[in-house]
Amino acid sequence: MTAPSDGSKPQIRHDVPTPARMYDYCLGGKDNFPVDRAAVLAVHKQFPEGVHEARNNRLFLYRLVRFLARDAGIRQFLDMGSGLPTQANVHQVAQRFQPDARVVYVDNDPIVLSHGRALLADDRTTTVIAADMTEPERILGDPETRKLIDFSEPAAALFLSIGHSIVDDEKLRSMLETVWAALAPGSYLGFSQVCGIDRATVEEGNEMTRRLGLSWRNRTVEDVTELLRGLEPAETIEPGLVQVVEWRPDPEQPTLAHVDEPLRPYLESPPENQRSMECGVVFRKL
């Protein structure tokens, strides 16, 4: 792996939470700080299903990448907003089924970049790019992207659990459509984000995350459906837009690490009357 294209030394803040580190904590990771753990616990006081959502999304990632590599024969992956290296990373899953698979990770969180450099120091088929996801033209044109991904051949673009990190609908729509336009026929796009069961729940969640200092926007399933209408021509891969736990479930897939003690009660007692969920969908470009 080469260093991110700006060549800068990551500046990691310890006083504000970040989605990547909060997600890491929910997955049983150790690359997070007290401010991230406090933010996760604050979220769970209102939405106790949060740890289930995060972990179900990671399990969805495994099943999706396995499907793409093993069943669809995809050997090129662009992982937008990849988050911290953790269990069953995209390149590890893809290369299990396609040993020569190539992966470009994209993130703008300094700690993600720092850990990505360490993990991939000797990997010539995988790289990390420091970039803002809402500037897709820069990402698509980056020399590191072009070195590993041939956009004249089928590839997979992954936007997993990142939609809620982009508050502006138009920016999110433009980002998705720009990357979709760059993909060759036979390519795939996977998307997931946190959804509320109704508008009132969505606004409650958005107000809570604003208080925590996060740039975050929950949406309804109808909102997500509307955002994705521009991805044409496309075939929706069954079962369509569903809760990620329902996307081709596999009880035999690898499990995740145990969570920290303060989060265990939320896993041991699945929430009743769930008000938010991680929803996902996969498209194939025709």
Side-chain angles (χ1 to χ4, degrees):
M1 188 205 84
T2 59
S5 54
D6 64 0
S8 61
K9 183 178 180 180
Q11 299 298 313
I12 298 171
R13 293 189 61 176
H14 299 71
D15 58 334
V16 292
T18 73
R21 300 193 312 247
M22 292 172 66
Y23 187 51
D24 175 72
Y25 183 53
C26 289
L27 297 183
K30 304 300 181 185
D31 298 315
N32 49 76
F33 302 124
V35 67
D36 306 300
R37 299 190 282 274
V40 168
L41 293 172
V43 168
H44 281 70
K45 288 180 180 178
Q46 282 184 250
F47 294 92
E49 60 267 38
V51 67
H52 287 275
E53 295 172 7
R55 293 171 73 83
N56 285 335
N57 185 76
R58 195 68 191 184
L59 295 171
F60 168 60
L61 180 149
Y62 177 90
R63 298 192 306 276
L64 172 55
V65 176
R66 181 182 62 184
F67 161 76
L68 293 168
R70 184 189 67 184
D71 304 333
I74 296 297
R75 296 182 294 117
Q76 306 183 108
F77 294 81
L78 179 64
D79 188 3
M80 302 285 275
S82 54
L84 279 157
T86 182
Q87 310 140 70
N89 298 295
V90 171
H91 71 285
Q92 294 167 327
V93 180
Q95 290 170 3
R96 177 180 174 185
F97 302 101
Q98 296 284 351
D100 61 344
R102 303 180 301 280
V103 179
V104 174
Y105 292 109
V106 180
D107 211 294
N108 65 349
D109 188 319
I111 198 169
V112 172
L113 305 174
S114 176
H115 284 264
R117 290 172 180 171
L119 176 67
L120 303 171
D122 298 319
D123 192 329
R124 301 299 178 187
T125 61
T126 308
T127 192
V128 180
I129 293 175
D132 186 333
M133 290 182 296
T134 63
E135 299 177 351
E137 294 89 350
R138 175 187 167 191
I139 295 164
L140 295 169
D142 190 286
E144 291 300 308
T145 303
R146 292 288 173 173
K147 183 167 72 174
L148 291 182
I149 296 182
D150 178 358
F151 285 99
S152 69
E153 298 292 334
L158 307 179
F159 298 85
L160 303 186
S161 207
I162 58 89
H164 40 253
S165 293
I166 301 173
V167 174
D168 187 281
D169 282 350
E170 289 308 312
K171 279 189 176 182
L172 177 54
R173 182 181 290 109
S174 176
M175 178 184 72
L176 292 167
E177 292 180 0
T178 298
V179 173
W180 182 253
L183 297 174
S187 296
Y188 291 80
L189 184 146
F191 178 88
S192 66
Q193 90 141 73
V194 175
C195 295
I197 60 170
D198 54 33
R199 186 65 58 190
T201 303
V202 164
E203 292 308 321
E204 179 186 344
N206 290 342
E207 175 59 31
M208 174 191 65
T209 53
R210 280 193 290 269
R211 291 197 304 269
L212 292 171
L214 295 169
S215 179
W216 189 280
R217 184 176 179 185
N218 291 352
R219 294 177 172 89
T220 64
V221 171
E222 292 76 18
D223 291 336
V224 172
T225 300
E226 184 61 32
L227 280 167
L228 297 171
R229 288 193 189 280
L231 304 186
E232 297 291 346
E235 171 192 13
T236 304
I237 304 301
E238 292 296 331
L241 179 61
V242 293
Q243 292 191 51
V244 293
V245 70
E246 298 171 354
W247 198 90
R248 305 190 177 197
D250 176 8
E252 302 300 322
Q253 76 177 96
T255 57
L256 298 174
H258 295 295
V259 296
D260 202 14
E261 180 63 35
L263 282 181
R264 288 178 192 170
Y266 296 104
L267 276 184
E268 293 166 357
S269 302
E272 297 181 1
N273 303 317
Q274 181 175 340
R275 297 188 300 139
S276 70
M277 65 209 76
E278 188 90 20
C279 292
V281 65
V282 183
F283 298 106
R284 179 180 182 269
K285 187 169 184 178
L286 299 177

